[in-house]
């Protein structure tokens, strides 16, 4: 590890209620602006079997003893601790992820906001410890014999495996739902950006004092983690489709019927309605969103718009408008506040994106690419890559199949409504699609046509032009997941999200017994 400054921190892992140093084989985390090593992370000292057992034996029972109201108070404490150290999180996000202030806001404020949302939700569930699922139902001719469905928290550990692009939000959006359900977590952030997640946990462990075993974090390779899973453990995985297959097909996961939730990659589309005209509100809103989606987090968002579907007659006009928007985004070192788009996370990611661009070039023409000399940074050492826009004139499978995880999108003209919906569907199942139109009939038609192949459908007419939350933004109150290549899992939002960490049980008995179990019939729905 020659060339590493002596003060580079080695991230510790928090398992079994104590901090375990990273170990000699630790991997290097870098500053993507210049390739400097900023931290080391490894898990060689972690005994995954013991780590999971400790959380099951200590964190689970302690959390399950609390009511929803009390767990909500714990989440609020976590949110307050994180909010106190905001400036530090922004600094780490810039140094280890190359985030601009706006990029980091989505990750960091998204994390704090999601924790607060689930704290409010938990408060509204009151002193109960079980989830209700509908009212009592008679089962026989005797009206005194009834059934009720309830949710009981799993007695295992929630293993949260996260992608590199949202180290803060990815950690807490999962942890909030799990902890509110009464299930302890073992978080495994992606190694290359684990620093932010690790330091957040460190501060929370120090200051929020959650029950022992409720929170664990490992900052390095997963090793044999999955081999130690038991039937009441769950895995929530976010990352590439390739890794998700390894997780799903792991022999222990399959033998023990471990519940797995997968959110994987996606070829999301945005559709401009056939009613659009140059520079009318849907057109402008569409172009603004496309430019934002290509450049925010340098396109490293699983929900980012990859395919821009436009009426063929407007193709040139949209192209010019998007190009002009992209030209206005300065690419470079985010330390400079005028920079609108930072680098990719590291050189490996840059070479993956360059490779993807080469592959797309075989099927579509590049119509816009930032000149490297315009980048405000060292393009030899930094993982910079400018926004790249393609246009395809005819059907080419690679455009619908290859996720280039960077600031890259392809404009695809369509001839008819059915054509547009079919192209969107060729993504093989996507996380999100957005549709921009002033024609409510078209929006309704699009919603019905696109719903089955998408987790979330954002329908923008001009009345919500300035108030909608955006194509790529996940809201904590919404549950949604893309089918097929998007993973077939769910973003666990709102009360619906808690069900992943609870098991639905049908309780059958006499009315007085059923009433006691369900808390006098009160439903937490
Ligand atoms: P990745 O390479 O698939 O890694 C995801 C996570 O899996 C990391 O924590 C990684 O750990 C871990 N991992 C790797 N091999 C594993 C194994 N054998 N067993 C258990 N865990 C293992 O994905 P990424 O490069 O971090 O993220 C980019 C991808 O994620 C893109 O394809 C993007 O579309 C997708 N993504 C999807 C969503 C969504 O919500 N659907 C959100 C964000 C990103 P190490 O880092 O230690 O290798």
């Amino acid at each position: 590890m020659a060339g590493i400054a002596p003060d580079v921190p080695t991230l510790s892992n928090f398992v079994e209620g104590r901090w375990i140093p990273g170990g000699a084989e630790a991997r290097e985390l870098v500053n993507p602006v210049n390739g400097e090593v900023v931290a080391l992370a490894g898990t060689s000292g972690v005994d995954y079997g013991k780590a999971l057992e400790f959380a099951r034996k200590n964190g689970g029972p302690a959390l399950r003893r609390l009511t929803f109201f009390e767990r909500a108070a714990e989440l609020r404490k976590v949110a307050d601790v994180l909010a106190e150290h905001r400036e530090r999180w922004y600094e780490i996000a810039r140094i280890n992820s190359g985030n601009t202030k706006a990029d980091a806001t989505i990750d960091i404020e998204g994390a704090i906001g999601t924790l607060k949302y689930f704290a409010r939700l938990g408060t509204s569930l009151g002193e109960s410890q079980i989830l209700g699922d509908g009212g009592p139902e008679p089962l026989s001719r005797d009206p005194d014999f009834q059934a009720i469905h309830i949710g009981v928290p799993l007695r295992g550990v929630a293993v949260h495996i996260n992608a590199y692009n949202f180290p803060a939000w990815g950690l807490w959006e999962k942890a909030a739902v799990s902890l509110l359900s009464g299930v302890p977590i073992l978080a495994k952030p992606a190694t290359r950006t684990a620093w932010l997640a690790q330091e957040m946990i460190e501060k929370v462990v120090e200051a929020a004092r959650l029950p022992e075993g409720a929170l664990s974090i490992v900052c390095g390779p997963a090793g044999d983690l999955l081999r130690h899973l038991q039937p009441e453990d769950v895995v929530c995985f976010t990352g590439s489709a390739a890794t998700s297959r390894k997780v799903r097909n792991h022999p222990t996961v399959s033998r023990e019927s471990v519940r797995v939730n997968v959110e994987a990659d996606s070829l999301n589309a945005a559709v401009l309605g056939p009613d659009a005209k140059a520079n009318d509100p849907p057109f402008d809103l569409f172009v603004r969103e496309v430019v934002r989606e290509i450049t925010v987090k340098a396109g490293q968002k699983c929900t980012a718009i990859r395919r821009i579907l436009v009426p063929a007659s407007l193709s040139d006009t949209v192209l010019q408008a998007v190009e002009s928007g992209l030209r206005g985004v300065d690419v470079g070192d985010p330390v400079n506040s005028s920079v609108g788009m930072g680098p990719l996370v590291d050189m490996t990611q840059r070479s993956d994106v360059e490779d993807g661009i080469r592959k797309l070039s075989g099927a579509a023409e590049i119509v816009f690419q930032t000149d490297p000399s315009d980048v405000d940074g060292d393009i030899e050492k930094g993982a910079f890559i400018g926004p790249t826009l393609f246009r395809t004139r005819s059907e080419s499978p690679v455009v619908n199949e290859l996720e280039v995880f960077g600031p890259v999108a392809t404009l695809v003209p369509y001839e008819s409504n059915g054509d547009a919906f079919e192209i969107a569907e060729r993504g093989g199942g996507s996380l999100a699609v957005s549709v921009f139109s002033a024609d409510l009939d078209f929006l309704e038609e699009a919603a019905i046509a696109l719903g089955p192949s998408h987790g979330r459908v954002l329908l923008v007419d001009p009345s919500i032009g300035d108030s909608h939350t955006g194509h790529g933004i996940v809201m904590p109150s919404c549950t949604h997941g893309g089918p097929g290549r998007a993973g077939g899992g769910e973003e666990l939002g709102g009360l619906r999200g808690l069900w992943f960490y609870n098991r639905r049980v049908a309780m059958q008995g006499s009315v007085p017994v059923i009433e006691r179990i369900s808390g006098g019939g009160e439903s937490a729905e």
Side-chain angles (χ1 to χ4, degrees):
M1 289 179 193
I4 299 175
D7 54 351
V8 166
T10 299
L11 306 180
S12 290
N13 304 282
F14 189 64
V15 290
E16 301 178 59
R18 64 202 166 95
W19 290 100
I20 295 183
E25 83 329 329
R27 289 195 206 164
E28 296 172 357
L29 281 62
V30 301
N31 181 341
V33 159
N34 51 27
E36 273 172 20
V37 179
V38 294
L40 300 170
T43 47
S44 62
V46 173
D47 181 327
Y48 280 117
K50 285 188 182 161
L52 291 170
E53 196 52 17
F54 183 87
R56 273 184 217 113
K57 287 275 174 318
N58 296 279
L63 287 168
R64 289 197 299 276
R65 274 194 292 277
L66 305 178
T67 63
F68 281 117
F69 191 87
E70 290 166 330
R71 290 177 209 148
E74 300 289 327
L75 294 186
R76 202 164 292 111
K77 271 197 292 182
V78 174
D80 290 344
V81 170
L82 294 180
E84 252 178 67
H85 301 278
R86 266 199 178 88
E87 292 316 311
R88 174 71 175 156
W89 313 141
Y90 279 88
E91 192 190 359
I92 298 175
R94 179 179 60 74
I95 297 173
N96 184 206
S97 291
N99 280 186
T100 64
K101 182 96 198 266
D103 295 339
T105 299
I106 305 175
D107 194 24
I108 293 159
E109 304 306 332
I112 297 171
T114 301
L115 280 159
K116 287 186 176 163
Y117 168 84
F118 279 100
R120 285 195 301 277
L121 179 70
T123 304
S124 75
L125 297 177
E127 300 299 335
S128 173
Q129 287 170 312
I130 56 164
L131 286 176
D133 182 15
E137 292 173 38
L139 293 175
S140 71
R141 264 184 281 178
D142 178 1
D144 192 38
F145 178 52
Q146 296 193 341
I148 191 142
H149 293 83
I150 62 165
V152 292
L154 298 171
R155 290 169 302 178
V157 185
V159 172
H160 292 164
I161 302 176
N162 287 322
Y164 77 80
N165 55 341
F166 284 107
W169 173 78
L171 165 67
W172 295 111
E173 62 120 12
K174 287 189 174 81
V177 193
S178 188
L179 296 172
L180 184 57
S181 300
V183 180
I185 68 151
L186 183 143
K188 201 219 102 41
T191 305
R192 41 190 165 169
T193 56
W195 182 10
L196 179 54
Q198 193 268 1
E199 204 167 306
M200 284 180 151
I201 293 274
E202 198 174 284
K203 279 284 178 277
V204 167
V205 167
E206 245 169 50
R209 307 205 168 275
L210 297 190
E212 191 167 58
L215 287 184
S216 308
I217 187 166
V218 292
C219 305
D224 67 351
L225 166 62
L226 301 179
R227 193 165 70 75
H228 300 281
L229 294 175
Q230 295 183 2
E232 287 195 60
D233 297 330
V234 295
V235 179
C236 274
F237 172 85
T238 301
S240 63
T243 313
S244 79
R245 280 191 288 276
K246 290 189 201 161
V247 172
R248 254 200 238 280
N249 298 329
H250 191 281
T252 308
V253 169
S254 122
R255 189 184 62 240
E256 304 295 338
S257 306
V258 175
R259 207 178 264 190
V260 179
N261 187 39
V262 169
E263 297 166 78
D265 55 33
S266 195
L267 268 296
N268 314 290
V271 183
L272 179 62
D275 56 305
K277 292 183 187 59
N279 304 323
D280 71 0
F283 180 98
D284 290 343
L285 291 167
F286 177 81
V287 169
R288 185 179 73 184
E289 199 63 17
V290 166
V291 171
R292 185 157 52 198
E293 283 293 312
I294 294 174
T295 53
V296 165
K297 285 189 85 76
Q300 299 163 106
K301 250 162 62 274
C302 55
T303 48
I305 296 170
R306 306 287 176 206
R307 296 175 301 151
I308 308 162
L309 310 192
V310 299
S313 58
L314 270 184
S315 170
D316 288 340
T317 323
V318 173
L319 200 64
Q320 281 161 17
V322 173
E323 266 185 51
S324 142
L326 293 176
R327 248 182 257 288
V329 178
D330 292 339
V331 181
D333 183 345
V335 79
N336 178 349
S337 61
S338 70
V339 160
M341 193 183 101
L344 296 169
V345 71
D346 57 23
M347 285 304 215
T348 307
Q349 192 60 25
R350 180 169 123 178
S351 82
D352 282 357
V353 169
E354 285 167 346
D355 188 44
I357 290 173
R358 267 191 298 279
K359 288 183 177 139
L360 279 179
S361 303
E365 58 172 320
I366 293 186
V367 285
F368 175 82
Q369 202 164 36
T370 305
D371 190 326
S373 65
D374 288 339
V375 171
D376 176 16
D378 183 341
I379 58 163
E380 297 302 321
K381 291 189 181 152
F384 297 105
I385 193 151
T388 305
L389 185 62
F390 283 90
R391 171 171 41 193
T392 177
R393 289 181 192 279
S394 58
E395 207 42 50
S396 38
V398 68
V399 171
N400 299 318
E401 288 167 8
L402 181 68
E403 182 201 45
V404 183
F405 205 60
V408 181
T410 305
L411 188 134
V412 185
Y414 70 81
E415 299 293 342
S416 65
N417 297 2
D419 191 23
F421 305 148
E422 245 182 81
I423 298 169
E425 190 150 330
R426 283 187 203 127
S430 300
L431 296 165
V433 61
S434 53
V435 189
F436 293 74
S437 171
D439 177 352
L440 302 197
D441 288 338
F442 176 72
L443 289 175
E444 185 184 354
E445 186 188 344
I448 305 296
L450 297 171
S453 51
H454 292 82
R456 185 161 60 81
V457 183
L458 169 67
L459 302 157
V460 181
D461 70 73
S463 72
I464 53 162
D466 289 325
S467 58
H468 74 83
T469 46
H471 169 102
I473 300 293
V474 168
M475 301 306 292
S477 53
C478 293
T479 290
H480 46 84
R485 74 169 289 162
E490 277 181 338
E491 201 72 66
L492 300 172
L495 190 55
R496 294 177 186 91
L498 301 191
W499 280 99
F500 184 73
Y501 298 101
N502 281 263
R503 215 163 56 74
R504 187 178 279 107
V505 189
M507 297 287 183
Q508 302 176 333
S510 68
V511 167
V513 172
I514 292 293
E515 279 178 354
R516 288 174 84 115
I517 294 168
S518 63
E522 183 191 330
S523 175
E525 283 181 302

